Amino acid sequence: MVLSISPSPELLLGRFGLGGFRSGQREAVAAVLAGRDCVVVMPTGGGKSLCYQLPALAGRGLVVVVSPLIALMADQLSALLNAGVHATMIASGMPPEYNDKALRDLGSGRAQLVLVSPERFASHAFRRVLMKRRIALFVVDEAHCVAEWGHDFRPDYLRLSGVIKSLGRPPVMAATATATPPVTREIALRLGLRNWLQINCGYERPNLTLDVVTVQGEGMFERKRELLLRALSDGPSLPAVVYCGTRKDTERVSQVVGELGVEVVGYHAGKSAQDRWASQQAFMAGKAQVVVATNAFGMGVNKADVRTVVHWAVPKSVEAYYQEAGRAGRDGKPAKALLLAARTDLARLIRFNDRRDIEVPDVEHYIERLTERARGGVVDSEALEEEDRILMSVAEHAGALFVGSSPQGRLRLTLTGRLDACAADHAIKAAQERCWQSYHAIEQFISSDDCRRRQILDFFGDTQPPKPTVRCCDVCESPWDALAVPSFDARELKRLKQWRAERARGRPAYMVATDAALKEMLQRHPKNAQGLLRIPGIGKVFCEQHGPSLLEVLHGLPSARSRTQARESDPAA
């Protein structure tokens, strides 16, 4: 029954059995009831699901919720049914008879809300049923997946704009926990939002301790091993997720964790789908206390009681780091995130970016390959590798193809027979710029002496002061120094800090060089500008402004003189 008078957000909340709204929830519900598009940015655990669950009770039609998280959809479905909402769920992997019943519920008008995975819109049967219903709200959850240069882009999300139009352009809510202002604008553009309202509740995770520990030099693996084992055995630390940068490290680190005598499983794209499913289920069910994984573990982690997330290697962006670190402490209880940073990790990211450098001829060759496979100018493509994903996006910007969906749930690329080389060049440069912006942002995050929490909030454009309810971070109060940093002469570090203060001339000292960079200098003793440039956080401008003065100080330190004397007395040293 359609209500003639719009119910208030408070009335709907009462029907859900709750006594009050959290920050931003009422504004989001009110926007939906007023028929307005909105982008809702709420931290994990902030209650964004309530913002689209309540409107289902308003009696205005069907609420469609798109999410890539099948486990999360199942949890939400259970909660909705318990609250008396007529909800259903349709997703790949569900038994055919279950999905058939869900379609019947939709077609009969009984269902008030449907949770659906993005690839389901490739089904003509599903879309025909939806088009018979009045759609009151179309929700895109985990909306950062629509941003092509975001940290978790998913091509399936590209079809959603067309789906929204085909359903009569209902009000749209895009919801996410991690989106920078540029990504938020891209979400709105990609989904075709109109006169949209942004509801930003901040990015603070007050129950999460953020530690970054720099590990360098010989014996790096052993120091990482010691830090990891300490993190997993210090206080309430399990269940835990350990993220690795490579499949090889996933296997090695799994063996390290096994030394604790806990059940551990591995997860990476090199394993079979059956093995990955078994690992995930063991962790979710509590049979395994630790999962060691690459980022292929992705957003499938919907486990509220994770106490620790460890990054064995530096992730490729601040967004990816915070999304993964934020999988700890979703239940609101104290949790910790530890990032073990090494210079070799940054070198790996540089190589990764270098491999993604493309030119216009690469795009032309990509179009030629598609043309050879095309039937009637159309190619149905499977899931894309990283390089092809970039080529596809550049080709789309250059007018060489349109991206849609096929009946089989794959991407449908429709070739136009033309390519704007200038537009392609512009898109390539924009892609490269974003890649390197991501690299510099994560490099700055791990090397800075500023509060980690403050850096995260600043990165996402959140001006609110940090309000941790646990120990904040390693910068504010570090328990790791004794294990992480090789020994050096404290007097020599003091001398470098004096030099830095002189060069700063009243500005903040970190604007010249961070403590981490100074300590690295004492470990490496660079002899020239080339040696300085190998230190994280040191660039050409620094060398031009400060290089000669710094090298003079470094060469005069007692440890540097001792090394010179040792080499002179023993040429083989």
Side-chain angles (χ1 to χ4, degrees):
M1 179 183 70
V2 178
L3 299 180
S4 58
I5 300 177
S6 177
S8 69
E10 286 76 15
L11 176 62
L12 297 177
L13 186 70
R15 292 176 61 185
F16 226 73
L18 299 175
F21 285 107
R22 297 184 189 178
S23 174
Q25 288 180 327
R26 190 192 185 286
E27 292 85 345
V29 174
V32 170
L33 295 178
R36 191 169 179 187
D37 292 347
C38 59
V39 178
V40 179
V41 182
M42 285 186 178
T44 301
K48 67 180 187 296
S49 60
L50 191 74
C51 299
Y52 52 76
Q53 290 171 351
L54 288 187
L57 298 174
R60 294 182 166 186
L62 180 68
V63 173
V64 179
V65 181
V66 184
S67 173
L69 305 177
I70 294 178
L72 180 59
M73 284 195 285
D75 289 349
Q76 288 192 14
L77 178 63
S78 177
L80 287 164
L81 294 175
N82 290 336
V85 179
H86 295 300
T88 190
M89 167 182 168
I90 303 179
S92 57
M94 304 295 290
E97 58 271 19
Y98 177 92
N99 283 339
D100 289 343
K101 181 181 182 303
L103 276 177
R104 290 195 298 272
D105 286 345
L106 283 176
S108 69
R110 182 174 182 272
Q112 298 169 292
L113 183 148
V114 60
L115 297 150
V116 60
S117 53
E119 67 272 8
R120 183 56 48 179
F121 292 99
S123 165
H124 287 309
F126 175 65
R127 292 179 71 164
R128 279 197 301 270
V129 170
L130 282 187
M131 292 179 74
K132 295 178 181 177
R133 296 289 306 272
R134 181 177 187 273
I135 309 299
L137 175 64
F138 192 97
V139 180
V140 182
D141 202 7
E142 305 294 341
H144 55 270
C145 293
V146 82
E148 62 181 323
W149 303 115
H151 66 282
D152 209 351
F153 168 75
R154 301 198 174 194
D156 275 337
Y157 270 59
L158 290 177
R159 67 168 63 96
L160 295 181
S161 178
V163 169
I164 292 167
K165 291 178 182 177
S166 71
L167 295 176
R169 192 50 184 76
V172 178
M173 174 186 291
T176 180
T178 50
T180 61
V183 169
T184 301
R185 291 191 292 271
E186 186 178 353
I187 290 169
L189 180 64
R190 280 279 180 180
L191 294 177
L193 303 190
R194 301 176 299 193
N195 188 31
W196 54 283
L197 174 69
Q198 179 168 344
I199 300 168
N200 194 327
C201 300
Y203 298 83
E204 175 69 284
R205 291 290 308 279
N207 63 315
L208 187 60
T209 294
L210 304 174
D211 285 332
V212 178
V213 182
T214 302
V215 184
Q216 304 286 11
E218 295 181 7
M220 180 180 65
F221 182 89
E222 285 305 312
R223 286 198 296 279
K224 278 192 174 185
R225 171 186 168 278
E226 190 173 359
L227 286 160
L228 172 62
L229 294 180
R230 175 176 166 181
L232 297 182
S233 58
D234 183 17
S237 301
L238 303 177
V241 181
V242 181
Y243 282 104
C244 295
T246 65
R247 300 175 187 179
K248 181 180 178 181
D249 275 350
T250 299
E251 301 294 341
R252 293 177 72 192
V253 174
S254 293
Q255 295 177 358
V256 170
V257 176
E259 298 175 16
L260 289 173
V262 300
E263 189 66 28
V264 57
V265 292
Y267 188 108
H268 58 70
K271 291 181 175 288
S272 69
Q274 184 177 359
D275 286 344
R276 292 198 303 272
W277 175 254
S279 292
Q280 178 167 324
Q281 288 303 105
F283 181 65
M284 299 298 288
K287 296 177 181 178
Q289 295 171 289
V290 181
V291 58
V292 181
T294 61
N295 61 4
F297 201 39
M299 292 190 296
V301 185
N302 183 39
K303 190 173 175 65
D305 63 343
V306 173
R307 301 269 64 85
T308 305
V309 169
V310 178
H311 282 87
W312 180 264
V314 178
K316 65 180 180 180
S317 69
V318 174
E319 296 103 315
Y321 160 76
Y322 203 48
Q323 178 83 17
E324 292 162 0
R327 292 180 182 130
R330 291 190 173 195
D331 55 5
K333 298 178 182 179
K336 54 191 177 184
L338 171 63
L339 194 166
L340 303 175
R343 189 171 58 87
T344 53
D345 297 333
L346 296 176
R348 172 179 54 83
L349 295 179
I350 290 173
R351 290 193 299 272
F352 180 74
N353 279 353
D354 285 341
R355 287 198 300 270
R356 295 199 294 185
D357 281 351
I358 60 173
E359 298 178 349
V360 173
D362 298 316
V363 184
E364 294 171 341
H365 294 153
Y366 172 69
I367 296 298
E368 290 172 3
R369 296 201 308 271
L370 291 178
T371 302
E372 292 173 358
R373 296 166 47 198
R375 294 184 178 182
V378 174
V379 179
D380 288 345
S381 177
E382 298 287 354
L384 301 176
E385 296 293 333
E386 179 79 15
E387 182 179 353
D388 278 353
R389 190 191 101 188
I390 295 173
L391 289 167
M392 179 198 73
S393 182
V394 172
E396 182 189 24
H397 280 285
L401 54 81
F402 297 106
V403 181
S405 60
S406 74
Q408 293 77 33
R410 295 178 291 181
L411 287 178
R412 171 156 289 179
L413 309 180
T414 303
L415 304 177
T416 66
R418 62 181 185 274
L419 186 147
D420 186 332
C422 291
D425 184 62
H426 179 76
I428 288 169
K429 289 177 180 177
Q432 292 170 341
E433 182 179 356
R434 294 196 190 194
C435 288
W436 287 110
Q437 283 176 347
S438 293
Y439 169 81
H440 291 305
I442 193 68
E443 180 191 31
Q444 171 68 17
F445 176 69
I446 66 174
S447 62
S448 174
D449 285 337
D450 292 340
C451 168
R452 308 292 179 192
R453 192 177 303 270
R454 181 69 267 165
Q455 288 189 73
I456 289 289
L457 297 180
D458 287 345
F459 179 84
F460 286 106
D462 188 342
T463 60
Q464 295 298 312
K467 297 177 181 178
T469 57
V470 293
R471 181 176 62 83
C472 180
C473 68
D474 61 289
V475 175
C476 297
E477 181 186 351
S478 176
W480 304 99
D481 291 341
L483 281 175
V485 183
S487 60
F488 51 80
D489 192 317
R491 291 171 297 181
E492 294 192 346
L493 178 61
K494 183 178 180 180
R495 175 66 187 95
L496 289 187
K497 288 184 175 181
Q498 290 174 342
W499 168 86
R500 181 178 63 178
E502 294 167 0
R503 303 295 294 189
R505 296 175 182 174
R507 296 177 300 160
Y510 69 84
M511 294 183 66
V512 176
T514 65
D515 281 359
L518 297 183
K519 293 172 184 177
E520 183 73 5
M521 293 170 193
L522 293 176
Q523 296 300 317
R524 304 180 68 85
H525 285 277
K527 303 178 185 64
N528 49 39
Q530 287 73 27
L532 286 174
L533 287 172
R534 297 189 184 99
I535 295 173
I538 299 300
K540 291 182 179 180
V541 174
F542 174 94
C543 289
E544 292 172 358
Q545 295 180 352
H546 307 295
S549 172
L550 173 59
L551 290 170
E552 182 179 351
V553 173
L554 287 171
H555 294 164
L557 295 176
S559 59
R561 292 196 298 269
S562 298
R563 290 189 179 201
T564 302
Q565 292 170 0
R567 285 194 295 269
E568 291 174 350
S569 61
D570 184 3

